[in-house]
Amino acid sequence: MELKKYYAHDNIPPDIQAMVQLVGDQPTLESIWALMDLVWAVTGADPQKPESMAAFYSHAVWTFNGIFTETHQESLENRLQFTKKIAELEPLRIADYGGGFGALARLLAQRLPQCTIEVVEPFPSGLALTMSGEYKNVFYVPKLAGTYDVIIALDVLEHVEAPLALVHELATHINEKGKLLLANCFYPVIKCHLPSTFYLRNSFDFLLNQLGIVATEKILYGTLYVKKKTLRSPEKIKYLISASKIYFFLIEQCRAVKKAIKQLICKQ
């Protein structure tokens, strides 16, 4: 990580320096996750306490993570592929929901100079704002407003307690021919991936289809969606959501039993 590239005159903030001391100047993805888990614990993050979640998501660890993903080869290649696909749609207005450090927004700004890119991010870092300020068509905004040609939400839904409600809201803000680009990780990779979302790893596309949001194309680990003429709220399919949660629970229990049996056989 070339921190001097991001901070002028060697003016690296103390909290960023402290994180470098913890994980080194060439951290791995796993060490970044461990650092996030440490900050989760230090801030006392609790989804039931909004102030603690604000402290977690406004912490400098997200700036550190943003700098890391700028140089992490797989992350960079993913963003380039997403940018290429979105450019093919020829949008004039894009929202990057939970866009964080703005790395994708800046790539889109370069590729689509006539397009407006709005990064919907409640806790933008000073560095992110400074870097996006170099592009006349990138703006950080507190919330969605009006309709968009494309709305992006990458690695966001696993961080919120009501993912389906959020997707429904996003869908109301795309125009008739608009697209949603979603990518999720409903697995316990890090502590800020909320367990209440994990049932969606087995039923996400099915439930979105019931809401009126239809998958059209896979792009790497993400998916493009369009909306039907009529959207349904999660409340309208609450029984299907409950059934999906039960299905997920049963699958996990079966896996646990199989694992226990395998361990027992290996010991004999």
Side-chain angles (χ1 to χ4, degrees):
M1 292 173 65
E2 298 179 13
L3 292 177
K4 294 180 181 179
K5 175 182 176 182
Y6 299 91
Y7 295 101
H9 308 298
D10 297 333
N11 189 26
I12 301 174
D15 45 9
I16 298 294
Q17 293 183 38
M19 283 182 271
V20 172
Q21 291 179 351
L22 283 173
V23 299
D25 58 4
Q26 297 296 325
T28 63
L29 182 59
E30 289 73 18
S31 65
I32 295 292
W33 288 342
L35 196 57
M36 288 181 172
D37 283 349
L38 176 62
V39 174
W40 178 271
V42 169
T43 57
D46 181 344
Q48 303 304 316
K49 299 177 180 178
E51 67 282 359
S52 70
M53 298 301 284
F56 174 69
Y57 283 109
S58 60
H59 193 277
V61 71
W62 292 100
T63 299
F64 193 75
N65 175 69
I67 294 172
F68 169 78
T69 60
E70 294 260 315
T71 57
H72 183 244
Q73 192 60 36
E74 183 178 354
S75 297
L76 177 58
E77 290 175 359
N78 287 345
R79 286 196 300 273
L80 290 172
Q81 287 297 314
F82 287 139
T83 298
K84 178 181 178 183
K85 186 61 189 181
I86 293 169
E88 292 173 0
L89 301 175
E90 300 182 342
L92 293 177
R93 191 184 187 202
I94 297 172
D96 186 2
Y97 193 92
F101 197 59
L104 179 59
R106 284 181 267 113
L107 283 176
L108 288 167
Q110 295 172 33
R111 187 72 177 262
L112 298 165
Q114 303 305 315
C115 180
T116 298
I117 301 102
E118 298 173 24
V119 183
V120 185
E121 174 58 56
F123 307 108
S125 69
L127 181 58
L129 293 173
T130 297
M131 295 179 70
S132 68
E134 298 177 8
Y135 300 88
K136 294 181 179 180
N137 55 338
V138 176
F139 305 90
Y140 272 82
V141 298
K143 61 182 181 180
L144 297 168
T147 60
Y148 301 81
D149 301 304
V150 176
I151 296 180
I152 305 161
L154 304 181
D155 304 309
V156 171
L157 297 176
E158 58 267 40
H159 295 260
V160 301
E161 287 202 285
L164 295 178
L166 176 54
V167 177
H168 179 267
E169 179 188 354
L170 297 180
T172 65
H173 284 279
I174 58 172
N175 56 41
E176 289 184 2
K177 296 182 179 180
K179 306 279 188 178
L180 281 175
L181 173 57
L182 308 177
N184 317 295
C185 179
F186 298 119
Y187 287 86
V189 176
I190 48 179
K191 291 181 179 178
C192 54
H193 288 187
L194 303 183
S196 60
T197 71
F198 293 166
Y199 76 97
L200 290 169
R201 77 177 68 145
N202 301 116
S203 57
F204 186 65
D205 281 356
F206 167 74
L207 292 175
L208 286 197
N209 190 51
Q210 301 306 306
L211 294 178
I213 302 166
V214 184
T216 62
E217 183 180 353
K218 290 290 292 182
I219 307 169
L220 300 176
Y221 72 105
T223 305
L224 270 180
Y225 299 85
V226 296
K227 67 177 179 180
K228 299 178 183 178
K229 290 185 178 180
T230 302
L231 289 175
R232 302 168 71 188
S233 71
E235 180 64 24
K236 297 290 186 180
I237 63 165
K238 60 183 180 181
Y239 297 113
L240 288 174
I241 294 173
S242 296
S244 297
K245 291 179 179 180
I246 293 171
Y247 176 68
F248 174 73
F249 173 78
L250 292 175
I251 287 177
E252 291 302 296
Q253 291 300 306
C254 288
R255 286 176 178 168
V257 170
K258 287 181 180 179
K259 183 178 180 179
I261 292 174
K262 185 176 180 180
Q263 291 176 341
L264 182 61
I265 292 173
C266 289
K267 289 180 179 180
Q268 293 180 344

